[in-house]
């Protein structure tokens, strides 16, 4: 696709020392030259270009007069269950053991490398990260661990159930969800904002039989934990999509709304 608004650079690569592999990524860069650093959005699961269609999302964004920004879609591979998750804490199956390395790749390798050729901002107010499902959990965790780098995190149908104990081993909802505990036991971090989306048909599981599916329960309870430590309604946007499912059809449809939120002037 050609556009008068932006250029697309598909399947760029960067050798990562932290991940010990070559990482592929896609770029969408405004055609209009900018003397000022541009807002930058890092997107997990960039390999799903064909299902998310970010070029169509960006085309719609610019046609509506949206603010110029840089899109970086980072591809994952067969190690997704190891590289995504929560830094420093693996889940009960040992998944997410490379999440800290993935975070370091973005912050210490990818971002500095691209800064040589692109006008990336060094201010957290202009750096954002988002993801889908497990990639959404990863995005939240990366922003939470590094408010000095990122100011906003977007979580689409996030795998916020990520836990340290299985049901068979005596899982307790209030004790064993990793990201909830990180927030509950962590300090308020000024400057962070969060955008969380769930679909009412994300899943059918309802582990506590309260009539609310787990993905919505986990999301609303994470939001409550954020509020308990000091975040306000203005810091959190929750979008519940009636009939929305755990797939890119739903996420693509709601992404323009997220993009408007993430790029708004704070």
């Amino acid at each position: 696709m050609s556009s008068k608004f932006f250029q697309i650079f598909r399947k760029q690569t960067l050798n990562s020392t932290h991940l010990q592999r070559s990482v592929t990524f896609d770029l969408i860069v405004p055609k209009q030259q900018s003397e000022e650093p541009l807002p930058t959005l890092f997107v997990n699961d960039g390999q799903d270009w064909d299902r998310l269609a970010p070029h169509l999302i960006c085309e719609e964004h610019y046609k509506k007069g949206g603010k110029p920004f840089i899109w970086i879609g980072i591809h994952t591979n067969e190690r997704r269950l190891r590289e995504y998750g929560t830094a420093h804490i693996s889940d009960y199956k040992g998944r997410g053991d490379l999440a800290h390395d993935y975070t370091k790749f973005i912050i210490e390798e990818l971002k500095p490398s691209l800064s040589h050729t692109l006008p990336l901002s060094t201010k957290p107010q202009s750096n954002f990260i988002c993801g889908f499902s497990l990639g959404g959990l990863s995005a939240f965790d990366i922003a939470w661990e590094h408010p000095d780098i990122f100011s906003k995190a977007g979580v689409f149908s996030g795998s916020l159930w990520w836990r340290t104990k299985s049901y068979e081993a005596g899982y307790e909802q209030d004790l064993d969800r990793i990201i909830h505990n990180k927030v509950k036991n962590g300090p308020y971090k000024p400057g962070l904002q969060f955008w969380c989306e769930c679909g009412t048909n994300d899943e059918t599981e309802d582990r506590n039989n309260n009539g609310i599916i787990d993905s919505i329960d986990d999301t609303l309870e994470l939001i409550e934990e954020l509020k308990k430590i000091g975040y306000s309604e203005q810091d959190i946007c929750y979008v519940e999509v009636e009939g929305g499912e755990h797939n890119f059809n739903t996420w693509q449809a709601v992404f323009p709304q997220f993009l408007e939120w993430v790029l708004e002037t704070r």
Side-chain angles (χ1 to χ4, degrees), residues 19-30:
L19 293 175
Q20 292 294 296
R21 70 176 179 91
S22 177
V23 181
T24 301
F25 58 92
D26 301 314
L27 298 173
I28 301 179
V29 182

Side-chain angles (χ1 to χ4, degrees), residues 17-180:
T17 300
H18 290 304
L19 293 175
Q20 292 294 296
R21 70 176 179 91
S22 177
V23 181
T24 301
F25 58 92
D26 301 314
L27 298 173
I28 301 179
V29 182
K31 280 186 176 178
Q32 184 177 355
Q33 296 296 315
S34 174
E35 295 182 2
E36 298 295 326
L38 289 173
T40 303
L41 177 62
F42 294 79
V43 184
N44 282 335
D45 282 315
Q47 75 283 351
D48 286 308
W49 175 285
D50 291 336
R51 294 197 287 172
L52 181 61
H55 54 301
L56 300 181
I57 292 171
C58 288
E59 186 74 14
E60 178 182 349
H61 169 76
Y62 285 115
K63 282 181 177 178
K64 292 181 177 179
K67 180 187 295 186
F69 74 105
I70 295 171
W71 174 298
I72 305 174
I74 310 166
H75 294 215
T76 187
N77 61 9
E78 67 278 358
R79 295 200 304 184
R80 183 175 186 270
L81 289 173
R82 298 185 64 193
E83 294 180 3
Y84 288 177
T86 45
H88 312 297
I89 306 174
S90 301
D91 89 329
Y92 71 98
K93 288 186 175 181
R95 296 172 294 192
D97 60 305
L98 298 178
H100 180 58
D101 297 315
Y102 179 66
T103 303
K104 290 175 71 175
F105 160 72
I106 292 176
I107 293 173
E108 298 179 7
E109 296 178 325
L110 180 61
K111 195 172 188 298
S113 175
L114 291 177
S115 293
H116 292 305
T117 55
L118 297 174
L120 304 187
S121 174
T122 59
K123 298 178 180 179
Q125 295 89 339
S126 298
N127 283 283
F128 324 114
I129 187 166
C130 72
F132 316 93
S133 192
L134 185 54
L137 172 67
S138 168
F140 184 100
D141 186 69
I142 290 171
W144 181 255
E145 293 286 342
H146 294 279
D148 57 320
I149 304 294
F150 299 100
S151 61
K152 293 185 177 183
V155 183
F156 295 77
S157 302
S159 297
L160 306 179
W161 55 265
W162 204 244
R163 55 188 183 267
T164 54
K165 191 179 291 183
S166 69
Y167 294 139
E168 295 75 17
Y171 164 82
E172 294 185 48
Q173 183 163 293
D174 293 335
L175 299 176
D176 300 318
R177 287 178 299 184
I178 297 172
I179 200 65
H180 294 73

